[in-house]
Amino acid sequence: MLYALLCIVCLLMATLLLFRERDGFYVQAVVFKALASLCFVLLGFLCAWHVNWAKPAKLIVTGLLLGAAADVLLNLRQVFREAGQTIFLVGILVFLSGHIVYLAAVLPRCPAPVPTALAAAALTAVLMWWIFRRITAKKAFKVFGIVYIGAIVFLNCVAIANLIADASGFNRMFAAGAFLFLVSDIVLILNTFGPENRFSLRFVNLGLYYAGQLTIALSCLLLA
């Protein structure tokens, strides 16, 4: 029951932050975003405790904490606009650190890490080619984007390889969460650097993002 309550509160806080953000109340939006992210962190702690803090669970909780910190940073760029670019890039770096920690949690399960890495590199190249045709961004953002998307594509490829090798509950749920995270980031990039910023796409972006983080947190319950 507590797990479900945290998920509901998380999505409610995310909805409130969207409307505060849309109406220009950026400080309030940061507060609601911090509360929404706190929910998936608490969910991760509870799930990790349930499995006696197994090593993958510890890493996943660390990734959730980094994600929550990055969430606040990304919205702070709207509060401190003069330093907005720097804050945004730092936020992306923190998110990247979280993906690396997630990767550390699931890579030991990967049956074929080298072929999986090669597949991820090829998919990243195709995906970034497709994205760059649809956005306009400074070189620094493009470089960060390639590294960041490359990391999460690799994470998804590892999760899928693990799922193919062993369709356990943990592998299924983690792969689902990682995929939601990837789609969320693609929507975020297109909406932020594309020709038009749409509230509907921001709604999709955050909905997928929080669904992904909650799913990754819940995956800890299924660790064998």
Side-chain angles (χ1 to χ4, degrees), residues 64-85:
L64 292 169
L65 284 166
L66 289 168
D71 284 337
V72 175
L73 284 169
L74 290 185
N75 264 57
L76 279 175
R77 78 186 192 279
Q78 297 172 325
V79 178
F80 304 104
R81 292 187 176 273
E82 292 184 1
Q85 178 174 319

Side-chain angles (χ1 to χ4, degrees), residues 34-110:
L35 291 172
S37 300
L38 177 62
C39 288
F40 67 64
V41 171
L42 290 174
L43 182 63
F45 268 91
L46 287 173
C47 294
W49 176 79
H50 183 80
V51 294
N52 296 316
W53 290 95
K55 185 177 179 180
K58 291 178 182 179
L59 291 168
I60 287 172
V61 170
T62 302
L64 292 169
L65 284 166
L66 289 168
D71 284 337
V72 175
L73 284 169
L74 290 185
N75 264 57
L76 279 175
R77 78 186 192 279
Q78 297 172 325
V79 178
F80 304 104
R81 292 187 176 273
E82 292 184 1
Q85 178 174 319
T86 301
I87 293 172
F88 183 84
L89 292 176
V90 172
I92 294 299
L93 277 176
V94 177
F95 259 131
L96 178 60
S97 300
H99 292 321
I100 291 171
V101 174
Y102 284 153
L103 189 58
V106 296
L107 189 57
R109 295 169 173 255
C110 187

